[in-house]
Amino acid sequence: MPRSGPQLDHYERSWRPVVADRQRTARNAARWFVPHSARQLHVRRAVLRATSLPVIDRYVGKTLAGKPSTLPL
């Protein structure tokens, strides 16, 4: 198998933590959208009703979308 060059190694090292974070955020968001119990469903409904408040709305949005990714190019 051919070895990748140093540029590709650097690219992978730079992006791996970003991708891992995005995947973790997606898995957590999926749990939010598909509750496994009646209790989780009631909590989700209560939080969604509370999103009419700006502070709650921003918090829920950041929680579901994850943090912005910034990498030096």
Side-chain angles (χ1 to χ4, degrees), residues 25-66:
T25 300
R27 282 190 291 275
N28 290 337
R31 285 188 212 115
W32 171 259
F33 286 109
V34 186
H36 293 285
S37 68
R39 180 179 175 274
Q40 288 176 343
L41 180 61
H42 291 299
V43 169
R44 186 184 75 156
R45 287 179 179 166
V47 170
L48 287 175
R49 278 193 299 273
T51 58
S52 62
L53 303 170
V55 173
I56 302 295
D57 184 43
R58 282 191 296 270
Y59 175 76
V60 170
K62 286 180 184 178
T63 301
L64 293 177

